[in-house]
Amino acid sequence: MQAHRKIIIAIDGFSSSGKSTMARRLASAIGYRYIDSGAMYRAVTLYALDNGMVDDDGKLHESEIIESLPCIKVDFEVQPDGTQHTVLNGIDVEKEIRRLRVSNVVSPVAAIPEVRHALVAMQKALGKERGIVMDGRDIGTVVFSDAELKVFVDASAETRAQRRFKELLEKGSAVSYEDVLANVVHRDHIDSTREESPLRKADDAISIDNSNMTIDEQDAWLMEQFNKVVKA
Ligand code: DC
């Protein structure tokens, strides 16, 4: 591939919109680093769950979570097959953070302003050298408002729930489609109505609805957007 200036690519969208797949595949095709910012919120949530900071009814011990932020270290470790695993305080938690137990409480944890400030600072540091594709909810609006390419991904709630359901089944989780759909709809609501940096399309982001697109079509579309920016 022709040498070009390194840019930042911000991919935001609703949960299970397929943005991680798009982001990961583009990063691998163009030799950029991929960062799943949602995994960082999930890791903090797992820490809170495992340290008794979430009651059985989902109530958060907010001040305890905030106080423990300096003790929570999140890293990403590249695997031999090129995929990345999320590492929480030295332990590979990639599988754990994807479970419904974490999905069910991650949105309220991600709505705590102090949690966001800590993770946004880490995310900004990861993008210092540019050459990064990061996906999340506020990457184009807050984390990298200067990103050269911003994409906002959408798909219907049913399509997204179907995808997440299939993914969970493949991982061996015993869940029902109805529970997954309810979780998707509930998280959409919390993510887009919270006070602190809610999910919203950046004014200069390009939108894509991938409900009826194949992964290959998505990849081709994104590569085209990337080429337009770097060749401009
Ligand atoms: O993308 P995901 O479903 O793994 O994200 C998990 C949660 O983290 C989601 O409910 C919203 C939150 N999140 C966020 O608030 N900001 C980000 N940049 C990424 C994720």
Side-chain angles (χ1 to χ4, degrees):
M1 197 175 62
Q2 194 185 337
H4 56 73
R5 67 197 170 100
K6 292 218 166 200
I7 64 165
I8 290 186
I9 301 161
I11 304 197
D12 289 303
F14 290 99
S15 48
S16 304
S17 57
K19 58 189 185 318
S20 303
T21 304
M22 280 176 86
R24 195 181 316 112
R25 292 169 65 98
L26 176 69
S28 139
I30 63 177
Y32 276 25
R33 179 149 195 222
Y34 163 62
I35 298 290
D36 170 3
S37 69
M40 300 167 83
Y41 290 94
R42 287 173 177 273
V44 171
T45 304
L46 179 65
Y47 183 95
L49 281 162
D50 287 349
N51 288 278
M53 299 173 190
V54 185
D55 291 341
D56 289 344
D57 62 359
K59 192 181 170 298
L60 305 179
H61 301 193
E62 263 197 48
S63 53
E64 285 176 36
I65 297 175
I66 295 166
E67 273 163 35
S68 52
L69 284 171
C71 314
I72 304 178
K73 194 167 171 335
V74 185
D75 297 299
F76 293 97
E77 217 170 69
V78 182
Q79 302 302 298
D81 66 355
T83 59
Q84 292 198 62
H85 281 191
T86 311
V87 176
L88 168 64
N89 291 340
I91 296 170
D92 184 333
V93 293
E94 188 55 38
K95 256 185 144 166
E96 278 295 314
I97 60 165
R98 308 288 165 195
R99 295 195 204 282
L100 211 49
R101 162 179 182 249
V102 172
S103 304
N104 281 339
V105 284
V106 64
S107 285
V109 172
I112 302 173
E114 288 83 353
V115 169
R116 303 204 68 78
H117 297 164
L119 293 189
V120 167
M122 284 168 64
Q123 290 153 7
K124 283 189 168 160
L126 287 165
K128 259 209 177 108
E129 321 253 297
R130 307 190 96 72
I132 193 169
V133 185
M134 192 177 287
D135 75 350
R137 304 292 188 290
D138 59 342
I139 310 306
T141 52
V142 175
V143 181
F144 298 123
S145 53
D146 64 339
E148 289 85 350
L149 175 58
K150 300 181 184 179
V151 175
F152 191 83
V153 191
D154 200 2
S156 70
E158 289 73 19
T159 305
R160 292 183 286 118
Q162 199 53 255
R163 288 178 186 156
R164 181 60 62 108
F165 177 57
K166 199 169 150 251
E167 216 175 86
L168 288 167
L169 279 191
E170 280 165 6
K171 286 180 185 162
S173 295
V175 287
S176 73
Y177 168 75
E178 286 69 29
D179 284 351
V180 176
L181 178 63
N183 176 255
V184 162
V185 172
H186 183 59
R187 280 206 288 152
D188 285 356
H189 178 73
I190 302 180
D191 294 346
S192 45
T193 57
R194 69 177 175 229
E195 288 265 315
E196 183 83 19
S197 52
L199 168 65
R200 107 181 145 70
K201 177 186 164 302
D203 295 336
D204 51 350
I206 317 166
S207 293
I208 177 175
D209 184 322
N210 63 10
S211 303
N212 298 307
M213 283 173 97
T214 63
I215 290 184
D216 285 346
E217 286 168 346
Q218 249 177 219
D219 287 351
W221 179 87
L222 188 55
M223 186 60 87
E224 196 184 317
Q225 308 310 315
F226 170 73
N227 281 327
K228 271 189 206 159
V229 174
V230 292
K231 289 181 182 158

